[in-house]
Amino acid sequence: MSRWLNFEGKSVFIMGGTSGINLGIAECFAEQGADVYVASRSAEKVAAAVERLQEFGHQAGGVSVDVRDADALAAGIEQLASKAGGFDVVVIGQAGNFPAPIMGLSSNGFKSVVDIDLVGSFNVARLVHPHLRETGASMITISAPQAFVPMENQAHVCAAKAGVEMLTRVMALEFGPANIRVNAIVPGPIENTEGMARLAPTEGMRELTRQSVPMKRFGTVREIGNCAMFLASPLAEYINGAIIPVDGGWSLSGAGSFSSQLADLARKRA
């Protein structure tokens, strides 16, 4: 175990940490000795994630809660913080997404994604802040390329994630004096995730996406986890307010072909 990525004695809380990229991040921290606590809406997924995390031999726990319900979220965070004795690392990764053009997107559909991604991130950050340990905590939000790359059929996600990134920067300003660092990770096309299954459901679309990445491959969940551990480690102790794409350079070209894929997918579903 690298001394720089040794999280023994540390407690990590991951919102949305019961599946996909966020569960992968949770597993990375657990593998490196951390006690890991997760939360999401699905009680079934929470139970399965906790069982998986306990296999690493450290403390693990979880609660089922909706980030849009601030009162229930506060109670859930309080429950986990009491068990953990406070948190050293917080990852805010819950998200909602589906492809839809603006004229085919209801107000409720737009609001749902904004509430989960943006309002939910605000709720988690505000409610977990009192439970952060004073030794120099790290908070990490999970953004998306849609925050700065406009994509057809992703207006709701573009708006929500752009807000998440600006919220991240403001939190870095406000929390920095307390030695709490706040940064964001921007995953690109990541293999074997629900997001890619929804946005590139066919092999043809997967291949187009793969070819649109300068490195000509999908990323892995572990590569996102590695970045999260780096940001939470002493190696990054002077990094605050950074927005870090982990996408093989995909966003450099504006992800134009992927946007076209989404447009084609939406037209086929119409």
Side-chain angles (χ1 to χ4, degrees):
M1 181 184 298
S2 167
R3 67 187 181 94
W4 295 110
L5 297 180
N6 182 352
F7 290 96
E8 289 185 359
K10 304 293 185 180
S11 294
V12 180
F13 171 62
I14 303 179
M15 188 68 229
T18 60
S19 63
I21 288 174
N22 298 307
L23 178 56
I25 293 173
E27 291 175 346
C28 284
F29 278 108
E31 188 178 77
Q32 298 302 321
D35 298 333
V36 183
Y37 301 86
V38 298
S40 73
R41 284 181 289 176
S42 169
E44 183 178 352
K45 287 184 177 181
V46 168
V50 170
E51 182 177 357
R52 166 62 179 153
L53 293 170
Q54 288 173 335
E55 294 175 3
F56 292 92
H58 310 287
Q59 290 293 319
V63 293
S64 174
V65 67
D66 192 324
V67 293
R68 295 169 291 187
D69 185 339
D71 291 339
L73 180 62
I77 289 174
E78 178 70 36
Q79 176 184 330
L80 294 180
S82 295
K83 182 177 180 180
F87 301 117
D88 301 283
V89 181
V90 173
V91 179
I92 306 175
Q94 77 290 338
N97 193 1
F98 52 89
I102 290 173
M103 297 309 296
L105 181 62
S106 69
S107 177
N108 284 339
F110 186 92
K111 183 177 184 297
S112 177
V113 171
V114 171
D115 282 350
I116 293 170
D117 288 25
L118 179 53
V119 180
S121 294
F122 169 79
N123 287 340
V124 173
R126 183 175 61 86
L127 294 169
V128 80
H129 184 277
H131 302 291
L132 296 176
R133 291 180 176 167
E134 297 179 358
T135 54
S138 173
M139 187 177 293
I140 301 166
T141 61
I142 305 299
S143 185
Q146 289 92 323
F148 51 88
V149 178
M151 297 185 190
E152 295 176 78
N153 301 286
Q154 292 283 272
H156 44 333
V157 181
C158 290
K161 290 301 189 182
V164 167
E165 291 194 3
M166 189 54 72
L167 175 64
T168 300
R169 293 184 173 100
V170 174
M171 291 193 298
L173 291 173
E174 294 191 5
F175 298 171
N179 199 27
I180 298 168
R181 299 180 299 105
V182 189
N183 298 288
I185 296 174
V186 188
I190 304 300
E191 187 72 85
N192 297 323
T193 59
E194 183 178 349
M196 285 308 302
R198 288 185 179 183
L199 299 178
T202 68
E203 183 54 40
M205 294 179 73
R206 283 172 49 80
E207 182 59 26
L208 283 172
T209 303
R210 186 182 295 110
Q211 292 305 315
S212 70
V213 179
M215 294 181 70
K216 305 303 179 187
R217 69 172 178 86
F218 288 106
T220 66
V221 169
R222 174 163 288 276
E223 286 168 327
I224 305 302
N226 288 344
C227 185
M229 290 192 296
F230 163 72
L231 287 173
S233 78
L235 292 171
E237 61 188 3
Y238 201 54
I239 298 177
N240 187 34
I243 311 296
I244 303 179
V246 184
D247 65 359
W250 185 63
S251 58
L252 295 175
S253 62
S257 64
F258 188 72
S259 180
S260 298
Q261 290 174 214
L262 289 177
D264 290 342
L265 180 59
R267 281 192 288 270
K268 291 176 182 178
R269 290 180 173 176

